[in-house]
Amino acid sequence: MSTTILSSHGTHTPLSATDLPLVIHHGELHAHWVEAARSKGFTLIARVQDRFRVALRCQTCDGVHVARHYVVMKAQPLCPHCIETRWRATALAAGLTWLGRDPGHRHYGRYGLPCGHESRRQFTFVERVASGVVSARCETCLVHREEEEALRFGWTRLGRDPQGNANYRFYRHSCGHTQRIAVANMKWGQCDCAGCGQSWTAKPSFIYLLDIRHPGTGRHYLKLGYSSHPAKRHKHQLGLPKDAFVEVLRVVAMPTGHDACAREKAAHARLKRTHPEALVPHPEYADLMNVVSEIYRPESLPILHDTLDRIEAEVTGAARTRNPDHLSTPPGIAASNDPEAPHDTPETPLPAAPATRTPAPSHPRRKPRPAGAAQDRHPILRRHWGLTG
């Protein structure tokens, strides 16, 4: 361990033991200490403070610092004045101003940015800036810019993403609704309020589980996704062959498309992390449908049902917290958007749609229906043509 005690920058007058602003320890300067210091680029001046420390003068910059004598004997002493000179030169090459070391961490320094703000950066990061690999971004200016971008579209930046995603920020809309939004989307205004908006983000949606079979090749897959029209999703958007059979095994109603998207993405990330063997590689089904992920093997059906159970419980719990007296329909689903509400203009069937098999019970662990009860499906399925019972 070494301690800086005196810097002789600007002067090259030799120092004697009496010139040091330290308590001199009147012990013997052993010849092998002096020789070891000289061979490593230092001149041993005196023993200081106690019997373990010596004062060394750098033969390069004439700066003086204190080090333990075993550092001189067993290792290579480092001159703190030379190190700071290098840090200062690196900051200058990076277009920054050296303000000194950070007292909170030995690997950080304080730098003045071209914009006038002060920043705390790692020394290695500044070296990368100086070499042109990265640029030094001002966090204060970044926050101001993000606040201005948000105000342009009626949002107020509240802070960093509470979930810790560096690409997201937390915003509050002019209506009072708060939500996470990607920085890139807010920059271009490609975002809608999930509370008062008119796009899919604010409208009711569903997380669905599909059973996909292709008799021509004998392939069998499961797909977990979200859509406001699950049946329409697999009929017109997956690009399946005409002879493919699709069964909607289960749907979970979500209050908004924003919630559906967030929970679906989190579920896929969790499944990829905990059950990587359940995912089907893209080349295996690339010729069958036009998606690139979110396809699972049929053996993972219990895992996917458990995932939907967890999502359904979370949505129900959130609904109970917000409105304990009305749990039948998740909040945000208006009467006109209720899957059970009648529709005046049902969708017109389109030709050449993939065949749809009659769904099996949506969940194998559900309680059996009473004898004689109608085998009705989830109300959302009645909104789509081709799913007759």
Side-chain angles (χ1 to χ4, degrees), residues 52-190:
F52 300 107
R53 293 175 174 84
V54 295
L56 301 175
R57 181 173 65 237
C58 178
Q59 297 175 358
T60 301
C61 68
D62 282 342
V64 177
H65 74 282
V66 174
R68 294 181 182 271
H69 65 73
Y70 71 76
V71 174
V72 178
M73 300 302 299
K74 301 295 184 180
Q76 171 61 53
L78 299 177
C79 174
H81 308 296
C82 291
I83 293 175
E84 183 171 331
T85 299
R86 290 198 299 271
W87 288 339
R88 192 183 303 271
T90 303
L92 184 63
L96 308 177
T97 302
W98 168 256
L99 300 179
R101 297 192 65 171
D102 178 48
H105 200 292
R106 64 190 182 93
H107 294 304
Y108 283 77
R110 297 182 297 109
Y111 298 88
L113 302 175
C115 62
H117 295 117
E118 181 179 327
S119 181
R120 174 177 174 269
R121 289 287 187 270
Q122 279 184 311
F123 300 128
T124 54
F125 176 80
V126 177
E127 292 174 359
R128 295 172 64 198
V129 175
S131 61
V133 177
V134 295
S135 59
R137 184 180 65 184
C138 176
E139 294 295 332
T140 304
C141 292
L142 175 64
V143 171
H144 292 165
R145 184 168 66 251
E146 291 178 351
E147 290 175 344
E148 294 173 357
E149 292 171 352
L151 289 174
R152 288 166 48 200
F153 302 105
W155 294 86
T156 301
R157 184 188 186 278
L158 300 181
R160 292 278 185 173
D161 176 29
Q163 298 184 16
N165 192 324
N167 297 320
Y168 281 72
R169 301 290 184 268
F170 197 50
Y171 299 91
R172 181 177 60 242
H173 194 238
S174 55
C175 70
H177 176 76
T178 58
Q179 73 184 63
R180 302 166 57 246
I181 301 176
V183 177
N185 290 342
M186 180 60 71
K187 180 177 181 179
W188 299 104
Q190 295 176 325

